[in-house]
Amino acid sequence: MVSLKKDGIILRKTTLDFESEGVLNPAVIQDNGKIHLLYRAVAKNNFSSIGYCTLSDYKTIETRLSNPVIIPEFEYEKHGVEDPRIVKIDHLFYLTYTSYDGINALGTLAVSEDLTSWQKQGIIVPQIPYKKFRLLSESQGKIGEKYRRFNKLPPTHNKNKDVFLWDKNVIFFPRRINGKLYFLHRIRPDIQIVGIENIEDLNPDFWKDYFLHFKDHIVLSPQYEHEVSYIGGGCPPIETEHGWLLIYHGVHDTIEGYVYSACAALLDLNTPEKEISRLPYPLFKPEEEWEQKGEVNNVCFPTGAITEGDTLHIYYGAADKRIAVASLNIPELLKELLQYTL
């Protein structure tokens, strides 16, 4: 087992309208000697925006803005901008988040040169109806039963509204690999991967071909009991000498509902579609009261990480209400992962 220290809660909701119901699932990045944290802030009726603060060290808030930095502006995100992740590639910050219009939840991109002024690039995942996804993806033979169970029309859908496949947890790798931009995304129950030359390549023809070869793009599938229901991306991949360290979330169903745990895997540095190893147990799971009780109980949802020497600090949403951090030794985690190579 990997030894890990839970450092506790670092950010809670306030009485400000935009974050009065909760703060959770932050994007975190180090830049110019500062730690920047962009977090999902929840207002009444579950409307989300993205708040911003800086840290003086990995667990101490230094400044915190009293207004969100990214708010819903367009029809596709009118019910909220959720669960940001961030990387810096070629001097440009890539902030991905889930845009929610009340029905559809889809991966969206904004970019910035200074972490202050953001240019929204719009939805970058496919806007594809459930039936078309199934027709295309099953051209190679039937996909897993869970794809059919998780990705079907909700029984109460509005027939006047387009209903698309939910495609969330879009997370870029923090550099180009063999000249390509890579990102993870999640169509339940697995984690899939995309490699492109430019963002503009993500057009309808690209996605049609992608789904015709859908099985080739699945990078991780649920394997162990703690992730048996479904999995999804967590923190942006961390480059190590042994591969891309991926901290993701795994979900399993219990009589008290879903339990979300933080998990760890390694992907190949040059061919990130290839899984090298995976921990057969959760890296950490809901054990503290503040992880077990909240807006959604029993949730540890990792979304951001920074490194300080050999130490990895993992930032996560705790019970969908507050933000906490956990720390571990990277060499120890890598040594443990390498015991479970595939």
Side-chain angles (χ1 to χ4, degrees):
M1 298 286 284
V2 177
S3 55
L4 176 139
K5 178 189 175 191
K6 289 185 178 177
D7 296 290
I9 300 166
I10 64 164
L11 202 71
R12 300 176 187 270
K13 66 181 183 179
T14 69
T15 56
L16 295 170
D17 286 347
F18 82 99
E19 59 183 15
S20 61
E21 295 299 303
V23 298
L24 60 153
N25 304 355
V28 186
I29 195 163
Q30 288 173 302
D31 189 64
N32 286 331
K34 282 282 185 189
I35 302 170
H36 304 265
L37 189 144
L38 296 101
Y39 59 92
R40 178 177 171 186
V42 185
K44 286 183 178 176
N45 299 316
N46 197 34
F47 283 87
S48 295
S49 58
I50 295 176
Y52 172 84
C53 59
T54 61
L55 282 65
S56 57
D57 60 44
Y58 78 95
K59 61 179 182 179
T60 306
I61 304 302
E62 182 177 56
T63 63
R64 183 176 184 176
L65 297 187
S66 56
N67 289 295
V69 291
I70 296 179
I71 61 173
E73 295 175 89
F74 301 103
E75 183 71 17
Y76 62 79
E77 59 188 9
K78 66 180 182 180
H79 204 92
V81 294
E82 305 177 351
D83 303 346
R85 275 79 160 197
I86 192 169
V87 298
K88 189 178 187 181
I89 309 170
D90 304 334
H91 308 291
L92 193 65
F93 295 99
Y94 287 67
L95 183 82
T96 48
Y97 60 89
T98 297
S99 56
Y100 184 51
D101 65 4
I103 295 176
N104 299 301
L106 297 166
T108 304
L109 173 65
V111 296
S112 174
E113 294 181 351
D114 57 9
L115 291 169
T116 303
S117 174
W118 292 95
Q119 294 78 48
K120 291 185 177 179
Q121 306 296 300
I123 294 166
I124 62 169
V125 297
Q127 297 175 66
I128 181 171
Y130 293 92
K131 185 179 283 188
K132 186 174 181 182
F133 160 72
R134 188 169 172 183
L135 285 171
L136 290 172
S137 60
E138 292 193 343
S139 64
Q140 291 180 300
K142 279 205 167 185
I143 55 174
E145 182 271 333
K146 282 185 180 176
Y147 276 99
R148 294 191 290 277
R149 188 199 321 165
F150 283 128
N151 301 295
K152 58 187 178 184
L153 278 174
T156 58
H157 81 279
N158 181 346
K159 292 181 180 177
N160 297 319
K161 174 76 174 174
D162 289 331
V163 180
F164 298 127
L165 185 75
W166 276 29
D167 195 338
K168 303 173 67 174
N169 299 306
V170 171
I171 304 163
F172 277 84
F173 285 70
R175 66 166 172 84
R176 288 181 179 267
I177 303 169
N178 301 319
K180 285 189 172 183
L181 291 167
Y182 277 87
F183 64 83
L184 304 170
H185 65 125
R186 199 281 304 279
I187 299 167
R188 286 195 298 182
D190 301 330
I191 299 173
Q192 300 84 21
I193 192 167
V194 172
I196 49 171
E197 298 289 337
N198 301 291
I199 297 296
E200 294 73 27
D201 296 342
L202 299 170
N203 57 41
D205 286 342
F206 172 89
W207 287 116
K208 181 179 179 181
D209 182 73
Y210 186 88
F211 285 122
L212 285 170
H213 304 90
F214 184 62
K215 292 178 182 177
D216 298 338
H217 305 298
I218 297 170
V219 65
L220 290 176
S221 298
Q223 188 171 331
Y224 299 108
E225 184 178 348
H226 63 278
E227 59 186 21
V228 68
S229 295
Y230 57 89
I231 58 176
C235 309
I238 298 146
E239 188 170 2
T240 77
E241 61 179 318
H242 297 292
W244 292 103
L245 173 60
L246 184 64
I247 307 298
Y248 64 99
H249 66 267
V251 185
H252 73 279
D253 203 0
T254 72
I255 56 171
E256 295 182 351
Y258 286 130
V259 175
Y260 285 71
S261 300
C263 312
L266 273 179
L267 306 178
D268 187 83
L269 278 180
N270 293 312
T271 51
E273 304 91 342
K274 179 183 176 185
E275 180 185 0
I276 296 173
S277 67
R278 180 188 323 200
L279 286 188
Y281 56 84
L283 189 58
F284 61 93
K285 59 187 179 181
E287 294 171 314
E288 307 293 339
E289 183 180 0
W290 37 271
E291 298 166 334
Q292 295 177 334
K293 302 295 180 186
E295 291 299 315
V296 180
N297 295 337
N298 296 309
V299 173
C300 290
F301 194 86
T303 48
I306 61 169
T307 59
E308 290 185 328
D310 284 341
T311 301
L312 180 67
H313 302 298
I314 301 168
Y315 297 82
Y316 63 100
D320 273 17
K321 191 172 184 178
R322 49 193 81 88
I323 292 168
V325 63
S327 303
L328 57 81
N329 180 268
I330 298 170
E332 181 188 350
L333 174 56
L334 293 174
K335 183 179 178 182
E336 181 77 356
L337 275 165
L338 291 172
Q339 293 188 54
Y340 300 100
T341 51
L342 303 177

